[in-house]
Coordinates of all heavy atoms in Angstrom, one line a residue:
H1 N -8.8 -0.1 -10.2 CA -8.1 -0.3 -8.9 C -8.7 0.6 -7.8 O -8.6 0.3 -6.7 CB -6.6 -0.1 -9.0 CG -6.0 -1.2 -9.9 ND1 -5.9 -2.5 -9.5 CD2 -5.4 -1.1 -11.1 CE1 -5.3 -3.2 -10.4 NE2 -5.0 -2.4 -11.4
E2 N -9.3 1.7 -8.2 CA -9.9 2.6 -7.3 C -11.0 1.9 -6.5 O -11.0 2.0 -5.2 CB -10.5 3.8 -8.0 CG -10.9 4.9 -7.1 CD -9.8 5.7 -6.5 OE1 -8.8 5.9 -7.1 OE2 -9.9 6.1 -5.3
K3 N -11.9 1.2 -7.1 CA -13.0 0.6 -6.5 C -12.5 -0.6 -5.6 O -12.9 -0.7 -4.4 CB -14.0 0.0 -7.5 CG -15.3 -0.4 -6.9 CD -16.0 0.8 -6.3 CE -17.4 0.4 -5.8 NZ -18.0 1.5 -5.1
S4 N -11.5 -1.4 -6.1 CA -11.0 -2.5 -5.3 C -10.3 -2.0 -4.0 O -10.4 -2.5 -2.9 CB -10.1 -3.4 -6.1 OG -8.9 -2.7 -6.4
S5 N -9.6 -0.8 -4.1 CA -9.0 -0.2 -3.0 C -10.0 0.2 -2.0 O -9.8 0.0 -0.8 CB -8.1 1.0 -3.5 OG -7.5 1.6 -2.4
E6 N -11.1 0.8 -2.4 CA -12.1 1.3 -1.5 C -12.8 0.1 -0.7 O -13.0 0.1 0.5 CB -13.2 2.0 -2.3 CG -12.8 3.4 -2.8 CD -13.9 4.0 -3.7 OE1 -15.1 3.6 -3.5 OE2 -13.6 4.8 -4.5
I7 N -13.1 -1.0 -1.5 CA -13.7 -2.2 -0.9 C -12.7 -2.8 0.1 O -13.2 -3.2 1.3 CB -14.1 -3.2 -2.0 CG1 -15.2 -2.6 -2.8 CG2 -14.5 -4.5 -1.3 CD1 -15.5 -3.4 -4.1
A8 N -11.5 -3.0 -0.2 CA -10.5 -3.6 0.7 C -10.3 -2.7 1.9 O -10.2 -3.3 3.0 CB -9.2 -3.8 0.0
Q9 N -10.3 -1.4 1.8 CA -10.1 -0.5 2.9 C -11.3 -0.6 3.8 O -11.1 -0.7 5.1 CB -9.9 0.9 2.4 CG -9.7 1.9 3.6 CD -8.4 1.6 4.3 OE1 -7.4 1.0 3.8 NE2 -8.3 2.1 5.5
K10 N -12.5 -0.7 3.3 CA -13.7 -0.8 4.2 C -13.7 -2.2 4.9 O -14.0 -2.2 6.1 CB -15.0 -0.7 3.3 CG -15.3 0.7 2.9 CD -16.5 0.8 2.0 CE -16.7 2.2 1.5 NZ -17.8 2.3 0.5
A11 N -13.3 -3.2 4.2 CA -13.3 -4.5 4.9 C -12.2 -4.5 6.0 O -12.5 -5.1 7.1 CB -12.9 -5.6 3.9
F12 N -11.1 -3.9 5.7 CA -10.1 -3.9 6.8 C -10.5 -3.0 7.9 O -10.2 -3.4 9.1 CB -8.8 -3.4 6.2 CG -7.6 -3.3 7.2 CD1 -7.1 -4.4 7.7 CD2 -7.1 -2.1 7.5 CE1 -6.1 -4.4 8.7 CE2 -6.1 -2.0 8.4 CZ -5.6 -3.2 9.0
Q13 N -11.2 -1.9 7.7 CA -11.7 -1.1 8.8 C -12.7 -1.9 9.7 O -12.8 -1.6 10.9 CB -12.3 0.2 8.2 CG -11.3 1.1 7.6 CD -10.2 1.6 8.6 OE1 -10.5 1.8 9.7 NE2 -9.0 1.7 8.0
M14 N -13.5 -2.7 9.0 CA -14.5 -3.5 9.8 C -13.8 -4.6 10.7 O -14.3 -4.9 11.8 CB -15.5 -4.2 8.9 CG -16.4 -3.1 8.2 SD -17.6 -3.7 7.1 CE -17.5 -5.4 6.9
D15 N -12.7 -5.2 10.2 CA -12.0 -6.2 11.0 C -10.5 -6.0 10.7 O -10.0 -6.4 9.7 CB -12.5 -7.6 10.5 CG -11.8 -8.7 11.4 OD1 -10.9 -8.4 12.1 OD2 -12.3 -9.8 11.2
K16 N -9.8 -5.5 11.7 CA -8.4 -5.2 11.5 C -7.5 -6.4 11.4 O -6.3 -6.3 11.2 CB -7.9 -4.3 12.7 CG -8.6 -3.0 12.9 CD -8.1 -2.0 11.9 CE -8.7 -0.7 12.2 NZ -8.5 0.3 11.2
N17 N -8.1 -7.6 11.6 CA -7.3 -8.8 11.5 C -7.4 -9.4 10.1 O -6.8 -10.5 9.9 CB -7.8 -9.8 12.6 CG -7.6 -9.4 14.0 OD1 -6.5 -8.9 14.3 ND2 -8.6 -9.5 14.8
L18 N -8.0 -8.8 9.2 CA -8.1 -9.3 7.9 C -6.8 -9.1 7.1 O -6.7 -8.0 6.4 CB -9.3 -8.7 7.1 CG -10.7 -9.2 7.7 CD1 -11.8 -8.4 7.0 CD2 -10.9 -10.7 7.5
N19 N -5.9 -10.0 7.1 CA -4.7 -9.9 6.3 C -4.9 -9.6 4.9 O -4.3 -8.7 4.3 CB -3.8 -11.1 6.5 CG -2.9 -11.1 7.6 OD1 -2.6 -10.0 8.2 ND2 -2.3 -12.2 7.9
L20 N -5.8 -10.4 4.3 CA -6.0 -10.2 2.8 C -6.5 -8.8 2.5 O -6.0 -8.2 1.5 CB -7.0 -11.3 2.4 CG -7.3 -11.3 0.9 CD1 -6.1 -11.5 0.0 CD2 -8.4 -12.3 0.5
A21 N -7.4 -8.3 3.3 CA -7.9 -7.0 3.0 C -6.8 -5.9 3.1 O -6.7 -5.0 2.3 CB -9.1 -6.6 3.9
F22 N -6.0 -6.1 4.2 CA -4.9 -5.2 4.3 C -3.9 -5.2 3.1 O -3.6 -4.2 2.6 CB -4.1 -5.5 5.6 CG -2.9 -4.7 5.8 CD1 -3.0 -3.4 6.2 CD2 -1.6 -5.2 5.5 CE1 -1.8 -2.6 6.4 CE2 -0.5 -4.4 5.7 CZ -0.6 -3.1 6.1
N23 N -3.6 -6.4 2.7 CA -2.7 -6.6 1.6 C -3.3 -6.0 0.3 O -2.6 -5.4 -0.5 CB -2.3 -8.1 1.4 CG -1.5 -8.6 2.5 OD1 -0.8 -7.9 3.2 ND2 -1.5 -9.9 2.7
L24 N -4.5 -6.3 0.1 CA -5.2 -5.7 -1.1 C -5.2 -4.2 -1.1 O -5.1 -3.6 -2.1 CB -6.6 -6.3 -1.3 CG -6.6 -7.8 -1.6 CD1 -8.1 -8.3 -1.6 CD2 -6.0 -8.1 -3.0
T25 N -5.4 -3.6 0.1 CA -5.5 -2.2 0.2 C -4.1 -1.6 -0.2 O -4.1 -0.7 -1.1 CB -5.8 -1.8 1.6 OG1 -7.1 -2.3 2.0 CG2 -5.8 -0.3 1.8
V26 N -3.1 -2.1 0.3 CA -1.7 -1.7 0.0 C -1.4 -1.9 -1.5 O -0.9 -1.1 -2.2 CB -0.7 -2.3 0.9 CG1 0.7 -1.9 0.5 CG2 -0.9 -1.9 2.3
R27 N -1.7 -3.1 -1.9 CA -1.4 -3.5 -3.3 C -2.2 -2.6 -4.3 O -1.6 -2.3 -5.4 CB -1.7 -5.0 -3.5 CG -1.0 -5.6 -4.7 CD -1.2 -7.1 -4.7 NE -0.4 -7.7 -3.5 CZ -0.9 -8.6 -2.8 NH1 -2.0 -9.2 -3.0 NH2 -0.1 -9.1 -1.8
S28 N -3.4 -2.3 -4.0 CA -4.2 -1.5 -5.0 C -3.6 -0.1 -5.1 O -3.6 0.4 -6.2 CB -5.7 -1.4 -4.5 OG -6.3 -2.6 -4.5
Q29 N -3.1 0.4 -4.0 CA -2.5 1.7 -4.1 C -1.2 1.6 -5.0 O -0.9 2.5 -5.8 CB -2.1 2.2 -2.7 CG -3.3 2.5 -1.8 CD -4.2 3.6 -2.4 OE1 -3.8 4.5 -3.0 NE2 -5.5 3.4 -2.2
R30 N -0.5 0.5 -4.8 CA 0.7 0.3 -5.6 C 0.4 0.2 -7.1 O 1.0 0.8 -8.0 CB 1.5 -0.9 -5.2 CG 2.8 -1.0 -6.0 CD 3.5 -2.3 -5.7 NE 2.9 -3.3 -6.6 CZ 2.7 -4.6 -6.2 NH1 3.1 -5.0 -5.1 NH2 2.2 -5.5 -7.1
F31 N -0.7 -0.5 -7.4 CA -1.1 -0.6 -8.8 C -1.5 0.7 -9.4 O -1.1 1.0 -10.5 CB -2.2 -1.6 -9.0 CG -1.9 -3.1 -8.7 CD1 -2.8 -3.9 -8.3 CD2 -0.6 -3.5 -8.9 CE1 -2.5 -5.3 -8.0 CE2 -0.3 -4.8 -8.7 CZ -1.2 -5.7 -8.2
K32 N -2.2 1.5 -8.6 CA -2.6 2.9 -9.1 C -1.3 3.7 -9.3 O -1.2 4.4 -10.3 CB -3.5 3.5 -8.1 CG -4.9 2.9 -8.1 CD -5.9 3.8 -7.4 CE -5.6 3.9 -5.9 NZ -6.7 4.6 -5.2
A33 N -0.3 3.6 -8.4 CA 0.9 4.3 -8.6 C 1.6 3.9 -9.9 O 2.2 4.8 -10.6 CB 1.9 4.0 -7.4
E34 N 1.6 2.6 -10.2 CA 2.3 2.2 -11.4 C 1.6 2.7 -12.6 O 2.2 3.0 -13.6 CB 2.4 0.7 -11.4 CG 3.4 0.2 -10.3 CD 3.4 -1.3 -10.1 OE1 2.7 -2.0 -10.8 OE2 4.1 -1.7 -9.2
I35 N 0.3 2.8 -12.6 CA -0.5 3.4 -13.7 C -0.1 4.8 -13.9 O 0.1 5.3 -15.0 CB -2.0 3.2 -13.5 CG1 -2.3 1.7 -13.7 CG2 -2.8 4.0 -14.5 CD1 -3.7 1.3 -13.2
Y36 N -0.1 5.6 -12.8 CA 0.2 7.0 -12.8 C 1.6 7.2 -13.3 O 1.9 8.1 -14.1 CB 0.1 7.7 -11.4 CG -1.3 7.9 -11.0 CD1 -1.8 7.5 -9.8 CD2 -2.2 8.7 -11.8 CE1 -3.1 7.8 -9.4 CE2 -3.5 8.9 -11.5 CZ -3.9 8.5 -10.2 OH -5.2 8.8 -9.8
R37 N 2.5 6.3 -12.9 CA 3.9 6.4 -13.3 C 4.1 6.2 -14.8 O 4.8 6.9 -15.5 CB 4.8 5.4 -12.5 CG 6.2 5.6 -12.7 CD 7.0 4.7 -11.8 NE 8.4 4.6 -12.2 CZ 9.2 3.8 -11.6 NH1 8.9 3.0 -10.7 NH2 10.5 3.9 -12.0
A38 N 3.4 5.2 -15.3 CA 3.4 4.9 -16.7 C 2.8 6.1 -17.6 O 3.3 6.3 -18.7 CB 2.6 3.6 -17.0
N39 N 1.9 6.8 -17.0 CA 1.3 8.0 -17.6 C 2.1 9.3 -17.3 O 1.6 10.4 -17.6 CB -0.1 8.1 -17.3 CG -1.0 7.0 -17.9 OD1 -0.8 6.6 -19.0 ND2 -1.9 6.5 -17.1
K40 N 3.2 9.1 -16.7 CA 4.1 10.2 -16.4 C 3.4 11.3 -15.4 O 3.7 12.4 -15.4 CB 4.6 10.9 -17.6 CG 5.5 10.0 -18.5 CD 6.1 10.7 -19.6 CE 6.8 9.8 -20.6 NZ 7.6 8.7 -20.1
Q41 N 2.5 10.8 -14.6 CA 1.9 11.6 -13.5 C 2.6 11.3 -12.2 O 2.1 10.6 -11.3 CB 0.4 11.3 -13.4 CG -0.3 11.7 -14.7 CD -1.8 11.4 -14.5 OE1 -2.1 10.2 -14.5 NE2 -2.7 12.4 -14.5
F42 N 3.9 11.8 -12.2 CA 4.8 11.4 -11.1 C 4.3 11.8 -9.7 O 4.5 11.1 -8.7 CB 6.2 11.8 -11.4 CG 6.7 11.2 -12.7 CD1 7.0 12.0 -13.7 CD2 6.9 9.8 -12.8 CE1 7.5 11.4 -14.9 CE2 7.3 9.3 -14.0 CZ 7.6 10.1 -15.0
D43 N 3.7 13.0 -9.6 CA 3.2 13.5 -8.3 C 2.1 12.5 -7.8 O 2.1 12.2 -6.6 CB 2.6 14.9 -8.4 CG 3.7 15.9 -8.6 OD1 4.9 15.7 -8.4 OD2 3.3 17.1 -9.1
K44 N 1.2 12.1 -8.6 CA 0.2 11.2 -8.2 C 0.8 9.8 -7.8 O 0.3 9.2 -6.9 CB -0.9 11.0 -9.3 CG -1.7 12.2 -9.5 CD -2.6 12.6 -8.3 CE -3.8 11.7 -8.2 NZ -4.6 12.0 -7.0
A45 N 1.8 9.4 -8.6 CA 2.4 8.1 -8.3 C 3.1 8.1 -6.9 O 2.9 7.2 -6.1 CB 3.4 7.8 -9.4
L46 N 3.8 9.2 -6.7 CA 4.4 9.4 -5.4 C 3.4 9.4 -4.2 O 3.6 8.8 -3.2 CB 5.2 10.7 -5.3 CG 6.6 10.6 -5.9 CD1 7.2 12.0 -6.0 CD2 7.5 9.7 -5.1
E47 N 2.3 10.0 -4.5 CA 1.2 10.1 -3.5 C 0.7 8.7 -3.2 O 0.5 8.3 -2.0 CB 0.0 10.9 -4.0 CG -1.1 11.1 -3.1 CD -2.3 11.9 -3.7 OE1 -2.0 12.7 -4.6 OE2 -3.4 11.7 -3.2
M48 N 0.5 7.8 -4.2 CA 0.0 6.5 -4.0 C 1.0 5.6 -3.3 O 0.7 4.8 -2.4 CB -0.4 5.8 -5.3 CG -1.5 6.5 -6.1 SD -3.1 6.5 -5.1 CE -3.2 8.2 -4.9
Y49 N 2.3 5.8 -3.7 CA 3.4 5.0 -3.0 C 3.4 5.4 -1.5 O 3.6 4.6 -0.6 CB 4.7 5.3 -3.6 CG 5.0 4.6 -4.9 CD1 5.7 5.2 -5.9 CD2 4.5 3.3 -5.1 CE1 5.9 4.5 -7.1 CE2 4.8 2.6 -6.3 CZ 5.4 3.2 -7.3 OH 5.7 2.6 -8.5
Q50 N 3.2 6.7 -1.2 CA 3.3 7.2 0.2 C 2.1 6.6 1.0 O 2.3 6.3 2.1 CB 3.3 8.7 0.2 CG 3.5 9.3 1.6 CD 4.8 8.9 2.2 OE1 5.8 9.1 1.6 NE2 4.8 8.3 3.4
I51 N 0.9 6.5 0.4 CA -0.2 5.9 1.1 C 0.1 4.5 1.4 O -0.1 4.1 2.6 CB -1.5 6.0 0.2 CG1 -1.9 7.5 0.1 CG2 -2.6 5.1 0.7 CD1 -3.0 7.7 -0.9
S52 N 0.7 3.7 0.5 CA 1.0 2.4 0.8 C 2.1 2.3 1.9 O 2.0 1.5 2.8 CB 1.6 1.7 -0.4 OG 0.6 1.5 -1.4
L53 N 3.1 3.1 1.8 CA 4.1 3.2 2.8 C 3.6 3.5 4.2 O 3.9 2.9 5.2 CB 5.2 4.2 2.4 CG 6.4 4.3 3.3 CD1 7.2 3.0 3.4 CD2 7.4 5.4 2.7
D54 N 2.7 4.5 4.3 CA 2.1 4.9 5.5 C 1.3 3.7 6.1 O 1.4 3.5 7.3 CB 1.2 6.1 5.4 CG 1.9 7.4 5.0 OD1 3.1 7.4 5.2 OD2 1.3 8.3 4.6
R55 N 0.5 3.0 5.3 CA -0.2 1.9 5.8 C 0.7 0.8 6.4 O 0.4 0.2 7.4 CB -1.2 1.4 4.7 CG -2.3 2.3 4.5 CD -3.3 1.8 3.6 NE -4.4 2.8 3.4 CZ -5.1 3.0 2.3 NH1 -4.9 2.2 1.3 NH2 -6.1 3.9 2.3
L56 N 1.7 0.5 5.7 CA 2.7 -0.5 6.1 C 3.3 -0.1 7.4 O 3.4 -0.9 8.4 CB 3.8 -0.8 5.1 CG 3.3 -1.5 3.8 CD1 4.4 -1.4 2.8 CD2 2.9 -2.9 4.1
E57 N 3.7 1.2 7.5 CA 4.4 1.6 8.8 C 3.4 1.6 10.0 O 3.8 1.2 11.1 CB 4.9 3.0 8.6 CG 6.2 3.0 7.6 CD 6.7 4.4 7.3 OE1 5.9 5.4 7.4 OE2 7.9 4.5 6.9
T58 N 2.2 1.9 9.8 CA 1.2 1.9 10.9 C 0.9 0.5 11.3 O 0.4 0.3 12.4 CB -0.1 2.7 10.6 OG1 -0.7 2.1 9.4 CG2 0.2 4.2 10.3
A59 N 1.1 -0.5 10.5 CA 0.8 -1.9 10.8 C 1.9 -2.6 11.4 O 1.8 -3.8 11.8 CB 0.4 -2.6 9.5
L60 N 3.1 -2.0 11.6 CA 4.3 -2.7 12.1 C 4.0 -3.2 13.5 O 4.6 -4.3 13.8 CB 5.5 -1.7 12.2 CG 6.3 -1.6 10.9 CD1 7.3 -0.5 11.1 CD2 6.9 -2.9 10.5
D61 N 3.2 -2.6 14.3 CA 3.0 -3.0 15.7 C 1.8 -4.0 15.8 O 1.4 -4.3 16.9 CB 2.8 -1.8 16.6 CG 1.6 -1.0 16.2 OD1 1.1 -1.1 15.1 OD2 1.1 -0.2 17.1
K62 N 1.3 -4.5 14.7 CA 0.2 -5.4 14.7 C 0.7 -6.8 14.3 O 0.9 -7.0 13.1 CB -0.9 -5.0 13.8 CG -1.5 -3.6 14.2 CD -2.6 -3.2 13.2 CE -3.3 -1.9 13.7 NZ -2.5 -0.7 13.7
P63 N 1.0 -7.7 15.2 CA 1.6 -9.0 14.9 C 0.8 -9.8 13.9 O 1.4 -10.5 13.1 CB 1.7 -9.7 16.2 CG 1.2 -8.8 17.3 CD 0.7 -7.5 16.6
E64 N -0.5 -9.6 13.9 CA -1.3 -10.4 12.9 C -1.1 -9.9 11.5 O -1.4 -10.7 10.6 CB -2.8 -10.3 13.3 CG -3.5 -8.9 13.2 CD -3.2 -8.0 14.4 OE1 -2.5 -8.4 15.3 OE2 -3.8 -6.9 14.4
L65 N -0.6 -8.7 11.3 CA -0.3 -8.2 10.0 C 1.2 -8.2 9.6 O 1.5 -8.1 8.5 CB -0.8 -6.8 9.9 CG -2.3 -6.5 10.0 CD1 -2.6 -5.1 10.0 CD2 -3.1 -7.3 8.9
N66 N 2.0 -8.5 10.6 CA 3.4 -8.4 10.4 C 4.1 -9.8 10.7 O 5.0 -9.9 11.4 CB 4.0 -7.3 11.3 CG 5.5 -7.0 11.0 OD1 5.9 -7.3 9.9 ND2 6.2 -6.5 11.9
K67 N 3.5 -10.8 10.1 CA 4.0 -12.1 10.3 C 5.4 -12.2 9.7 O 5.7 -11.8 8.6 CB 3.1 -13.2 9.7 CG 1.8 -13.2 10.4 CD 0.8 -14.2 9.8 CE -0.5 -14.2 10.6 NZ -1.5 -14.8 9.9
D68 N 6.3 -12.8 10.5 CA 7.7 -13.0 10.1 C 8.4 -11.7 9.7 O 9.3 -11.8 8.8 CB 7.8 -14.0 9.0 CG 7.2 -15.4 9.3 OD1 7.4 -15.8 10.5 OD2 6.6 -16.0 8.5
G69 N 8.0 -10.6 10.1 CA 8.6 -9.3 9.8 C 8.5 -8.9 8.4 O 9.3 -8.1 7.9
Q70 N 7.5 -9.4 7.7 CA 7.3 -9.1 6.2 C 7.1 -7.6 5.9 O 7.5 -7.2 4.9 CB 6.2 -9.9 5.7 CG 6.5 -11.4 5.6 CD 7.6 -11.7 4.6 OE1 7.6 -11.2 3.5 NE2 8.6 -12.5 5.0
L71 N 6.5 -6.9 6.9 CA 6.2 -5.5 6.6 C 7.5 -4.7 6.4 O 7.5 -3.7 5.6 CB 5.3 -4.9 7.7 CG 3.9 -5.5 7.8 CD1 3.1 -4.8 8.9 CD2 3.2 -5.3 6.5
K72 N 8.5 -5.0 7.1 CA 9.8 -4.3 7.0 C 10.3 -4.4 5.6 O 10.9 -3.4 5.1 CB 10.8 -4.7 8.0 CG 10.5 -4.3 9.4 CD 11.5 -4.7 10.4 CE 11.1 -4.3 11.8 NZ 12.1 -4.6 12.8
K73 N 10.2 -5.6 5.0 CA 10.6 -5.7 3.6 C 9.8 -4.8 2.7 O 10.3 -4.2 1.8 CB 10.5 -7.2 3.2 CG 11.4 -8.1 3.9 CD 11.2 -9.5 3.5 CE 12.0 -10.5 4.3 NZ 11.7 -11.9 3.9
G74 N 8.5 -4.8 2.9 CA 7.6 -4.0 2.1 C 7.9 -2.5 2.2 O 8.0 -1.8 1.3
I75 N 8.2 -2.1 3.5 CA 8.5 -0.7 3.7 C 9.8 -0.3 3.0 O 9.9 0.7 2.3 CB 8.7 -0.5 5.2 CG1 7.3 -0.5 5.9 CG2 9.4 0.9 5.5 CD1 7.3 -0.5 7.4
T76 N 10.8 -1.2 3.0 CA 12.1 -0.9 2.3 C 11.8 -0.8 0.8 O 12.3 0.1 0.1 CB 13.1 -2.0 2.6 OG1 13.3 -2.1 4.0 CG2 14.4 -1.8 1.8
I77 N 11.0 -1.7 0.3 CA 10.7 -1.7 -1.2 C 10.0 -0.4 -1.6 O 10.4 0.3 -2.6 CB 9.8 -2.9 -1.6 CG1 10.7 -4.2 -1.5 CG2 9.2 -2.7 -3.0 CD1 9.9 -5.4 -1.6
Y78 N 9.0 0.1 -0.8 CA 8.3 1.3 -1.1 C 9.3 2.6 -0.9 O 9.2 3.5 -1.7 CB 7.1 1.5 -0.2 CG 5.9 0.7 -0.8 CD1 5.6 -0.6 -0.3 CD2 5.2 1.2 -1.9 CE1 4.6 -1.3 -0.9 CE2 4.2 0.4 -2.4 CZ 3.9 -0.8 -1.9 OH 2.9 -1.6 -2.5
Q79 N 10.2 2.5 0.0 CA 11.1 3.6 0.2 C 12.0 3.7 -1.1 O 12.3 4.8 -1.6 CB 12.0 3.4 1.5 CG 11.2 3.7 2.7 CD 11.9 3.3 4.0 OE1 12.8 2.4 4.0 NE2 11.5 3.9 5.1
I80 N 12.4 2.5 -1.6 CA 13.3 2.5 -2.8 C 12.5 3.0 -4.0 O 13.0 3.8 -4.8 CB 13.8 1.1 -3.0 CG1 14.8 0.7 -1.9 CG2 14.4 0.9 -4.4 CD1 15.2 -0.8 -1.9
R81 N 11.2 2.6 -4.1 CA 10.4 3.0 -5.2 C 10.3 4.6 -5.2 O 10.3 5.2 -6.3 CB 9.0 2.4 -5.2 CG 9.0 1.0 -5.6 CD 7.6 0.4 -5.5 NE 7.9 -1.0 -5.8 CZ 6.9 -1.9 -6.0 NH1 5.7 -1.5 -6.0 NH2 7.2 -3.1 -6.3
K82 N 10.0 5.1 -4.0 CA 9.9 6.6 -3.9 C 11.2 7.3 -4.3 O 11.2 8.3 -5.0 CB 9.5 7.0 -2.5 CG 8.0 6.7 -2.2 CD 7.6 7.2 -0.9 CE 7.9 8.6 -0.7 NZ 7.7 9.2 0.6
A83 N 12.3 6.7 -3.8 CA 13.6 7.3 -4.1 C 14.0 7.3 -5.6 O 14.7 8.2 -6.1 CB 14.7 6.6 -3.3
L84 N 13.5 6.3 -6.3 CA 13.8 6.2 -7.7 C 12.9 7.1 -8.6 O 13.1 7.2 -9.8 CB 13.6 4.7 -8.2 CG 14.7 3.7 -7.6 CD1 14.3 2.3 -8.0 CD2 16.1 4.1 -8.0
M85 N 11.9 7.7 -8.0 CA 11.0 8.5 -8.8 C 11.7 9.8 -9.2 O 12.3 10.5 -8.7 CB 9.7 8.8 -8.0 CG 8.9 7.6 -7.8 SD 8.0 7.0 -9.3 CE 7.0 8.4 -9.7

């Protein structure tokens, strides 16, 4: 997931309108968090969840990334995940 996260992040940096790249960037961080969590590396898991949460929050003002207000749902989910850690 590390490599896929890097590729998605680079693609998104080149074109901020790439929804798929944005989604893959956030999702890759979540997958890494879940792996860390399963291995009981909770500090690293929290760090990955926070990265995803930060990316979602910074995209709130971008209508092309926040279609139908979907980012608010994602933000809530990541806040809950962090709270449950």
